[in-house]
Amino acid sequence: MKSISLDAHAKINLSLDVIGKRQDGYHEVRMIMQTITLHDKVILETRDTGIEVGCDKPWVPGGNDNIAYKAANLIMEKYKVTSGVSIKILKRIPVAAGLAGGSADAAAVIKGMNELFDLNLNEDELMDIGKQIGADVPFCIRGGTMLSEGIGEKLTKISSFQGVDIVLVKPKVGVSTAWVYNNLKLDKISLRPDTDFLINAISKKDIGSLAQNMRNVLETVTIEKYGVINDIKNELRRLGALGSMMSGSGPSVFGIFEDSEKAHRAYESLKDGKWECFVTQTL
Ligand code: ATP
């Protein structure tokens, strides 16, 4: 029996623009993706046959409804793996929260199975497999700070933005990504991010400029339904964040802080409230 344990990291969006809608219904995006230290643990173990998926949180689907199962199944079929795998997920990333928790687990399974079964696939091959599972999976395989285009699968590395202090807040609502995109009116978007300006701010490590100019065009859709997102954005700023924004399709909101002392102070005043809170860092 062989086993391997991996950290499956969440992501936040430092910007999110939707440029158009393709004939096939997918949206074309332009967004800056950023890995953060907050992570699930994914433990893989060889077994005689089949795929078994379990999670320590009962609200996360097990078995073949879990995205980790789909990733394992694809690898099994494509590379004719004859033995089985057991997958255990220790869930720490809030679910349906705009943090790509499921995609992170799938990415960990793809990387882990590559090692566990000595498949010797390189990163591009792993990302190709990831693309078939979900648009965010290739990013989760690579991680870091990336410009993501197309439907999310075209990735370009930008300067590192590691070690920036973040407070992450998740209100007690789950948001379906599909619902948000379906309700987005492309002709009504009035405030778009200046993505090139933000990339430049990142390359200069100008955290203040980045934080004050971040934009996510999906905010208007999610905030219209869940006003609490706006309350959290304001609260984070009141507690000293240089800027705050919703991640992905929400409802998670993050604040960027100048230093970890300020971030911890903000976390301390938020953590006993009605929201799930994390103090984390960019990776
Ligand atoms: P994204 O930002 O990529 O849209 P998200 O963070 O909003 O992702 P997830 O946490 O990935 O959303 O969950 C989306 C849905 O996928 C949930 O409704 C959940 O039930 C289902 N799901 C399946 N497998 C997993 C998994 N391993 N972890 C979390 N959710 C999973």
Side-chain angles (χ1 to χ4, degrees):
M1 205 86 85
K2 268 171 78 185
S3 77
I4 183 169
S5 166
L6 298 100
D7 292 346
H9 289 275
K11 63 87 186 160
I12 52 173
N13 294 84
L14 298 177
S15 75
L16 196 161
D17 202 1
V18 182
I19 288 160
K21 197 172 178 183
R22 300 194 320 195
Q23 297 268 309
D24 60 8
Y26 283 101
H27 285 85
E28 292 254 8
V29 294
R30 192 156 193 253
M31 50 194 188
I32 303 174
M33 309 274 276
Q34 175 64 58
T35 308
I36 56 173
T37 54
L38 175 68
H39 62 272
D40 294 344
K41 279 256 176 236
V42 177
I43 301 151
L44 306 179
E45 198 172 71
T46 54
R47 69 202 296 261
D48 289 343
T49 54
I51 303 165
E52 188 186 72
V53 181
C55 182
D56 64 340
K57 297 291 187 295
W59 54 87
V60 177
N64 55 10
D65 284 333
N66 196 295
I67 188 169
Y69 181 98
K70 296 186 180 98
N73 195 41
L74 184 64
I75 294 204
M76 294 281 202
E77 284 179 358
K78 200 167 163 145
Y79 298 99
K80 317 248 177 301
V81 177
T82 46
S83 71
V85 65
S86 137
I87 301 168
K88 198 179 294 161
I89 300 168
L90 305 178
K91 191 48 83 184
R92 299 294 170 267
I93 305 171
V95 174
L99 302 170
S103 303
D105 295 344
V109 167
I110 293 169
K111 289 199 280 189
M113 285 181 72
N114 187 36
E115 282 198 34
L116 202 60
F117 298 112
D118 298 316
L119 301 176
N120 294 314
L121 304 170
N122 63 34
E123 198 176 65
D124 286 343
E125 290 170 307
L126 297 181
M127 285 164 71
D128 253 4
I129 300 166
K131 200 162 43 178
Q132 295 169 57
I133 303 294
D136 284 346
V137 180
F139 169 76
C140 292
I141 289 172
R142 261 184 121 178
T145 312
M146 299 264 173
L147 173 67
S148 163
E149 295 172 290
I151 60 163
E153 85 296 1
K154 272 189 220 154
L155 297 172
T156 313
K157 192 172 165 30
I158 53 186
S159 314
S160 162
F161 197 58
Q162 198 173 3
V164 175
D165 296 286
I166 304 282
V167 174
L168 186 67
V169 182
K170 153 79 172 50
K172 288 194 176 109
V173 288
V175 172
S176 142
T177 304
W179 177 84
V180 175
Y181 275 96
N182 286 338
N183 284 280
L184 177 70
K185 300 201 173 52
L186 279 171
D187 52 341
K188 297 263 162 63
I189 297 175
S190 56
L191 215 53
R192 290 181 182 275
D194 183 340
T195 311
D196 295 328
F197 174 89
L198 295 170
I199 292 173
N200 194 35
I202 289 172
S203 73
K204 291 195 292 206
K205 300 265 177 308
D206 188 348
I207 302 176
S209 276
L210 175 97
Q212 282 149 28
N213 292 284
M214 302 184 293
R215 299 256 184 286
N216 176 348
V217 300
L218 301 180
E219 272 189 349
T220 49
V221 181
T222 317
I223 288 176
E224 197 177 324
K225 187 160 181 200
Y226 302 110
V228 63
I229 293 169
N230 224 7
D231 300 342
I232 297 171
K233 283 180 66 176
N234 292 335
E235 188 63 3
L236 280 163
R237 288 216 185 94
R238 196 186 65 78
L239 291 167
L242 298 169
S244 56
M245 195 174 79
M246 184 180 87
S247 179
S249 49
S252 298
V253 178
F254 64 92
I256 293 192
F257 285 80
E258 230 169 317
D259 57 55
S260 61
E261 202 188 308
K262 285 186 182 144
H264 274 93
R265 234 181 290 137
Y267 167 76
E268 286 302 321
S269 30
L270 285 164
K271 76 172 182 191
D272 295 327
K274 39 213 180 280
W275 308 315
E276 219 178 327
C277 297
F278 304 87
V279 64
T280 180
Q281 271 196 338
T282 55
L283 198 63

